[in-house]
Amino acid sequence: MKLKNIPNILSIIRILLVFVFLYVFFIVDNIYVALLIFLIAGATDVVDGYLARRNNWITNLGKILDPFADKLMQCTVLVSLCIKKIVPIWFVIPFFVKEIFTLIIGLIVIKRRSVNVVSKWYGKLAVCLFYATIAVAIICKDTLAAHPVITVFVFAPAVIFALAALVAYVKHYSYLKKEEIKQSKLINNIRKEQ
């Protein structure tokens, strides 16, 4: 096994953990073990990203596998928790919109190959807040069910940060696209002058 494949293996493990999560959440009906699986999946995401960047183990497969594994796990958890009425639907919808848009942006950027898809601090913060919110939602589910006002205060920050991160990513990659067009025009002008 080549060392540079370790991040990809971790992404595959994260995909498999989606099915383990579903089994534990719905069949075994143990929400706390399901939460542990979710957090382990999050840890594999941190580790594979760290290894890939630190050792330059970035592969074309990894560019697709990593975000796919993340979004699959996050969306699965959201839908599962919504089905059991642990998270409100108004929390789920913005995250689905964000994940669809970031997936589209990521695929466009990867296809162009001239721009590297890099996680920014605001994206990492939004993901950390998402994981923390899910953990609080599960651990404090009875309290939140009894107090709808507290529910808003628990879930709203994660939604706001997620949407703010989406806007920031769109602006960032729009800027890169404009810079790429400028460079392309400059290169074409230099060639014409030669």
Side-chain angles (χ1 to χ4, degrees), residues 71-72 74-80 82 89 91-102 163:
K71 284 161 188 18
L72 182 62
Q74 290 170 17
C75 291
T76 298
V77 169
L78 278 174
V79 171
S80 300
C82 191
I89 190 73
F91 177 73
V92 175
I93 292 170
F95 273 97
F96 262 91
V97 170
K98 177 205 170 248
E99 294 308 328
I100 289 166
F101 270 99
T102 52
L163 295 176

Side-chain angles (χ1 to χ4, degrees), residues 45 53 66 70 116-124 169 173:
D45 181 29
R53 284 187 298 274
D66 180 56
D70 296 343
N116 288 326
V117 180
V118 180
S119 291
K120 299 291 181 184
W121 67 266
Y122 42 81
K124 291 175 182 174
Y169 273 119
Y173 287 112

Side-chain angles (χ1 to χ4, degrees), residues 21-27 29-31 34 80-81 84 86:
F21 173 88
L22 287 169
Y23 177 77
V24 171
F25 190 83
F26 288 108
I27 308 300
D29 198 23
N30 191 325
I31 195 168
S80 300
L81 294 178
K84 288 205 176 182
I86 295 169

Side-chain angles (χ1 to χ4, degrees), residues 11-24:
S11 292
I12 292 166
I13 289 169
R14 198 154 63 255
I15 292 168
L16 295 174
L17 284 175
V18 170
F19 300 101
V20 177
F21 173 88
L22 287 169
Y23 177 77
V24 171

Side-chain angles (χ1 to χ4, degrees), residues 60-73:
N60 288 332
L61 177 62
K63 289 177 185 177
I64 296 165
L65 263 184
D66 180 56
F68 174 74
D70 296 343
K71 284 161 188 18
L72 182 62
M73 176 56 88

Side-chain angles (χ1 to χ4, degrees), residues 32 85-86 136-152 154-155:
Y32 299 107
K85 301 189 185 318
I86 295 169
V136 169
I138 290 172
I139 293 166
C140 304
K141 61 185 173 58
D142 296 331
T143 304
L144 295 177
H147 301 89
V149 175
I150 297 174
T151 301
V152 173
V154 169
F155 291 108

